[in-house]
Amino acid sequence: MTASLSVQEKLSRLGICTELDLILHLPIRYEDETHLFPISDAPAGQIVQVEGVIVHNEVVMRPKRQLVCQIEDSSGMLIMRFLNFYGSQIKTYAVGKRVRLLGEIRHGFFGAEMVHPKCRIVQAGESLADTMTPIYPTTAGLAQKILAKLIRQVLQSTQNAHYLVETLPQAMIQHYRLTGFRDSVMCLHNPPPDVSLEALQTRSHPAWRRIKFDELLAQQLSMRLHYRQRRSHAAPVLACKHLLTEKFLRQLAFTLTDAQIKVSAEISHDLATPYPMQRLLQGDVGSGKTIVAALAALQAIENGHQAALMAPTEILAEQHYQKLSSWLDPLGIRVAWLSGSQKKKQKQATLDDIASGNAHLAVGTHALFQEHVVFHQLGLAIIDEQHRFGVHQRLALRMKGALSNTVPHQLMMSATPIPRTLSMSYYADLDVSIIDELPPGRAPIVTKLIADNRRDEIIERIKHACHQNKQVYWVCPLIEESETLQLQTAMETHDNLSRIFPDLSVGLVHGRLSTQEKTAVMTAFKQGEIQLLVATTVIEVGVDVPNASLMVIENAERMGLSQLHQLRGRVGRGSQASICILMFQQPLSDIARKRLKIIFEHTDGFEIARQDLQLRGPGEFLGARQSGMPMLRFADLEQDGELLTAAQTAVDKMLNNHPDLAQRHIQRWLGQKIEYLRV
Ligand code: ADP
Ligand code: MG
């Protein structure tokens, strides 16, 4: 590139490092300077261009200094108003000068006017722009004009023609009625005057359609390749023998829901194939994913393999350990427990058990995938609350089987439901199972929004609930800047509530407690010895104490939707009617108000996720960390569902019949941007 260094730095801030990046840096909007409207005919409420002669010019104080000019053409008159202006502009816009204005006309008290239009001096008869004016996303200090010029140069240079070659097979172009790549790019950078501005702005124009299709196709192609690559590895065949699984189900106090049966069958089928399963099990909080995980583990174990279950927090891992031991001990299954904070000797004993195969199922936190953990024969890795882990961590656990030339099957579980369009795109390389019903007999949770100046009311409710032998969570506010501060708040809250409720047993759990201390508190709560549990957000995921039926969340306005939904899911797990009180502090920001409204109105996790996605957009919703895929820049999953489906349908044909084009297509769109090997 011929740009100077500083321009290059600015470009790189926009993610532009190569000529191709410039070519694919498409406008965010357009201005139409190809037409002139007579002043009296110019439609209101849209950006228009008019031209006229300045007939009057004055600075008025109304109440602040304003520059007001009257402009006249043969059809009528218009007022141009600048609320901020330089002294030099008074001279520039002198009476008698001819100006071209681009802006929106409003009809005010003084007639038609434009406030702060784009304005430039012209000569009579000066020619109009022959294409729409593209407006590019840019960054501070990089002028629109410079960026536009750089892009124009790259597009005009014949040396760059190869960037614009077609990557789609002709048949596909015809079948989906797409425009050519080169034409589309050219059109979007320099739209001819007869193009509908609206179609450009709303990105419904065929040229946009093509670009969006390409982008979605590249994503689908790379995911599909990854899927195939994974299938090329061998995994242990873990046949469904109905030995341990049957025994387990027979001793269970309840029967599985239809949804649990359905997803278990899908998982069971995958485990019996010689390729590594990569399945995402989605189910709302409380839908009963743990049992499904246990069944999968048993299928591995009844085939002589080990299983591992990894959870994101120690509290949750510990709880899984307790629950799974109680379920599996009677079957003669040995469950091992590994955590980062274990004593050295204890840890070594566990590691030995895992390495010798003495332990059938290993449960733990991220400590499980550290290097020194060696499995005897890992057949299945289960990751609970997978959205809490980064891609690297998931990959590390998968590699644990590499010793034996096979890759373990992988089951990922998540209670953060991913809306369908998102899972079709960002998770296209995973198979998805969904638990779409809750176990029977759950009373619905009632959500209440209460401003924190009504604390007394809440205290009364707690008293009442505890006297009826119910158990209560009190969740302390999230303080993002400081864990210490959060801890301090939790301790103060604990002190206060202990003072207010001298006859109740009030417990406290937070992230800084040792494993033993956490376990002791959670066990006491589970056994009903603690009635009111003050907690930080460490209890957010997974914790299961069915007798708890009242939850108070302080400063709920600071929390995200999925976090609120998860927290609320800690109650409503038994047959009692549960209440979740969201306390908030006023004034509420606009976004906080929207979030609280959504969580108040909905309990269905999928619906909450869908609205969350709309509120935040996919980038924030997923977090790049967790998807490992670059975000879509042009396609909009809500709007472009039809294109997504088309891209998905086209993928296999393209890979099978035109592998070289497919490679070129991925290269163009994703290039170096796939940061991780997808796991
Ligand atoms: P999650 O999907 O949130 O991980 P859990 O696996 O913790 O849910 O299950 C929530 C609660 O529901 C647990 O107490 C569990 O034992 C219970 N449960 C799970 N499946 C059923 C079922 N089919 N019938 C009744 N209770 C169930
Ligand atoms: Mg769970």
Side-chain angles (χ1 to χ4, degrees):
M1 268 187 297
T2 53
S4 74
L5 190 66
S6 75
V7 171
Q8 263 185 18
E9 276 168 357
K10 284 172 197 156
L11 286 174
S12 78
R13 254 189 274 154
L14 292 170
I16 301 175
C17 306
T18 64
E19 282 142 339
L20 179 61
D21 291 338
L22 273 174
I23 291 175
L24 294 180
H25 193 71
L26 296 173
I28 32 168
R29 60 184 180 86
Y30 297 88
E31 284 173 354
D32 186 358
E33 292 172 292
T34 65
H35 297 286
L36 274 181
F37 283 94
I39 287 176
S40 61
D41 284 357
Q46 71 181 61
I47 306 282
V48 291
Q49 182 170 246
V50 296
E51 180 178 312
V53 174
I54 299 179
V55 293
H56 184 78
N57 159 330
E58 91 185 289
V59 174
V60 297
M61 306 294 283
R62 195 182 288 143
K64 274 177 58 188
R65 261 164 64 87
Q66 308 184 354
L67 173 60
V68 179
C69 301
Q70 272 180 25
I71 319 265
E72 212 175 61
D73 72 0
S74 57
S75 76
M77 223 216 2
L78 174 80
I79 296 204
M80 166 166 85
R81 194 184 294 276
F82 290 99
L83 305 170
N84 297 302
F85 57 96
Y86 298 108
S88 62
Q89 280 174 300
I90 306 175
K91 281 211 190 95
T92 312
Y93 302 139
V95 171
K97 288 276 168 68
R98 176 173 286 272
V99 284
R100 227 168 245 180
L101 311 182
L102 188 77
E104 195 175 317
I105 293 188
R106 301 220 185 96
H107 291 279
F109 188 68
F110 302 100
E113 69 171 55
M114 268 192 196
V115 180
H116 279 266
K118 184 168 155 187
C119 172
R120 81 195 160 88
I121 310 285
V122 291
Q123 304 304 319
E126 193 164 311
S127 62
L128 289 161
D130 53 10
T131 72
M132 304 270 185
T133 315
I135 307 293
Y136 294 102
T138 186
T139 179
L142 183 60
Q144 198 52 242
K145 266 192 190 142
I146 296 183
L147 187 54
K149 190 170 151 209
L150 285 171
I151 293 172
R152 209 162 40 238
Q153 280 169 355
V154 172
L155 285 175
Q156 279 164 1
S157 160
T158 48
Q159 280 167 23
N160 293 327
H162 64 284
Y163 288 125
L164 297 170
V165 297
E166 190 51 72
T167 51
L168 299 190
Q170 205 49 45
M172 189 186 292
I173 291 180
Q174 271 159 13
H175 184 263
Y176 293 111
R177 296 192 309 279
L178 298 167
T179 52
F181 179 70
R182 186 178 181 284
D183 291 349
S184 303
V185 168
M186 289 302 190
C187 169
L188 292 176
H189 282 296
N190 300 300
D194 58 346
V195 164
S196 146
L197 189 63
E198 202 206 323
L200 284 179
Q201 309 280 38
T202 59
R203 302 198 167 179
S204 58
H205 188 275
W208 273 123
R209 192 169 165 267
R210 167 64 202 257
I211 295 298
K212 295 196 270 193
F213 178 83
D214 273 21
E215 184 181 38
L216 290 166
L217 181 68
Q219 189 187 43
Q220 294 290 322
L221 283 171
S222 86
M223 298 260 192
R224 195 72 199 160
L225 275 180
H226 179 255
Y227 185 90
R228 290 185 174 193
Q229 183 197 349
R230 209 175 62 229
R231 298 270 298 191
S232 70
H233 289 123
V237 174
L238 307 171
C240 179
K241 298 186 170 163
H242 296 295
L243 298 173
L244 293 170
T245 47
E246 286 297 309
K247 245 191 194 166
F248 169 66
L249 288 175
R250 249 179 281 135
Q251 63 152 47
L252 207 59
F254 43 76
T255 52
L256 296 185
T257 61
D258 288 347
Q260 284 170 319
I261 294 174
K262 185 193 70 187
V263 299
S264 288
E266 288 164 357
I267 294 164
S268 172
H269 171 267
D270 282 4
L271 292 176
T273 62
Y275 325 105
M277 167 174 82
Q278 284 278 291
R279 196 168 273 279
L280 177 64
L281 173 59
Q282 288 190 35
D284 209 345
V285 278
S287 61
K289 294 183 290 294
T290 319
I291 289 162
V292 176
L295 283 168
L298 287 174
Q299 188 166 332
I301 296 165
E302 69 187 13
N303 282 276
H305 279 76
Q306 291 169 298
L309 170 61
M310 182 164 82
T313 66
E314 215 163 67
I315 289 186
L316 182 54
E318 163 88 25
Q319 176 190 287
H320 279 327
Y321 171 66
Q322 305 274 359
K323 184 164 246 180
L324 289 163
S325 309
S326 76
W327 279 341
L328 305 186
D329 281 351
L331 305 177
I333 307 296
R334 283 180 302 274
V335 185
W337 154 245
L338 194 70
S339 96
S341 57
Q342 259 166 337
K343 296 238 167 58
K344 212 168 169 198
K345 215 169 123 197
Q346 203 184 358
K347 194 186 249 172
Q348 193 52 52
T350 310
L351 288 174
D352 291 346
D353 278 348
I354 295 174
S356 69
N358 192 29
H360 299 118
L361 171 62
V363 179
T365 56
H366 51 279
L368 265 186
F369 57 78
Q370 276 152 12
E371 261 167 53
H372 57 270
V373 184
V374 179
F375 284 84
H376 177 61
Q377 208 171 20
L378 183 62
L380 169 67
I382 303 168
I383 296 161
D384 195 16
E385 309 291 351
Q386 64 95 26
H387 57 285
R388 289 301 204 89
F389 292 99
V391 263
H392 294 300
Q393 294 169 313
R394 304 205 302 255
L395 182 65
L397 191 57
R398 186 152 73 86
M399 286 308 154
K400 288 288 178 198
L403 279 181
S404 53
N405 294 329
T406 59
V407 175
H409 297 279
Q410 192 164 331
L411 175 64
M412 287 165 275
M413 307 202 287
S414 178
T416 300
I418 301 158
R420 206 180 76 90
T421 46
L422 267 196
S423 64
M424 266 171 79
S425 55
Y426 292 98
Y427 288 87
D429 63 335
L430 297 182
D431 296 306
V432 180
S433 291
I434 298 177
I435 305 185
D436 55 5
E437 65 179 323
L438 294 179
R442 297 269 169 86
I445 307 172
V446 174
T447 303
K448 293 186 185 293
L449 287 170
I450 300 187
D452 67 354
N453 53 16
R454 287 163 60 197
R455 210 168 252 264
D456 294 351
E457 247 172 75
I458 295 168
I459 299 292
E460 274 311 306
R461 273 181 187 273
I462 292 177
K463 199 182 275 172
H464 187 70
C466 290
H467 282 147
Q468 293 183 318
N469 247 345
K470 292 180 178 168
Q471 287 178 285
V472 184
Y473 288 103
W474 183 292
V475 183
C476 294
L478 180 71
I479 300 170
E480 276 183 351
E481 320 82 67
S482 156
E483 203 193 331
T484 317
L485 219 58
Q486 182 165 355
L487 196 63
Q488 198 184 325
T489 319
M491 293 207 229
E492 282 168 17
T493 311
H494 177 250
D495 286 351
N496 282 336
L497 291 174
S498 302
R499 221 171 314 117
I500 296 173
F501 299 113
D503 54 338
L504 292 185
S505 138
V506 185
L508 172 64
V509 66
H510 55 73
R512 293 274 182 86
L513 294 182
S514 72
T515 312
Q516 284 85 354
E517 290 168 316
K518 274 184 219 156
T519 308
V521 177
M522 292 313 295
T523 309
F525 190 51
K526 207 167 263 190
Q527 292 174 350
E529 288 154 22
I530 291 175
Q531 288 162 292
L532 172 57
L533 181 63
V534 178
T536 57
T537 47
V538 289
I539 59 148
E540 177 185 340
V541 289
V543 172
D544 183 38
V545 180
N547 193 45
S549 61
L550 176 59
M551 169 172 279
V552 178
I553 302 178
E554 270 195 273
N555 289 108
E557 80 280 359
R558 292 189 198 164
M559 294 183 189
L561 271 172
S562 82
Q563 189 168 34
L564 286 170
H565 179 61
Q566 286 271 358
L567 278 170
R568 183 173 59 182
R570 299 309 116 218
V571 293
R573 302 193 144 233
S575 50
Q576 305 181 54
S578 293
I579 296 177
C580 178
I581 297 175
L582 304 175
M583 278 169 84
F584 61 90
Q585 207 168 12
Q586 275 160 325
L588 286 176
S589 69
D590 190 37
I591 184 109
R593 185 181 302 277
K594 283 188 182 136
R595 281 199 303 253
L596 290 178
K597 183 168 186 294
I598 294 171
I599 197 81
F600 175 73
E601 287 176 352
H602 300 276
T603 51
D604 172 10
F606 274 94
E607 183 54 28
I608 291 170
R610 211 181 56 76
Q611 302 214 16
D612 196 15
L613 176 64
Q614 269 178 0
L615 216 56
R616 292 193 294 163
E620 282 206 41
F621 183 90
L622 286 173
R625 182 181 100 104
Q626 98 114 341
S627 84
M629 269 299 278
M631 292 291 135
L632 293 167
R633 295 159 60 195
F634 305 115
D636 174 325
L637 294 175
E638 287 278 311
Q639 259 174 45
D640 301 318
E642 166 248 342
L643 285 176
L644 176 59
T645 313
Q648 202 180 30
T649 325
V651 155
D652 276 314
K653 221 182 229 171
M654 178 123 173
L655 283 176
N656 294 341
N657 304 342
H658 306 277
D660 45 335
L661 285 181
Q663 276 308 337
R664 225 184 284 170
H665 190 82
I666 293 175
Q667 195 58 35
R668 169 176 290 165
W669 282 97
L670 296 171
Q672 314 306 319
K673 294 197 183 98
I674 307 177
E675 290 166 57
Y676 315 102
L677 175 64
R678 297 265 308 161
V679 291

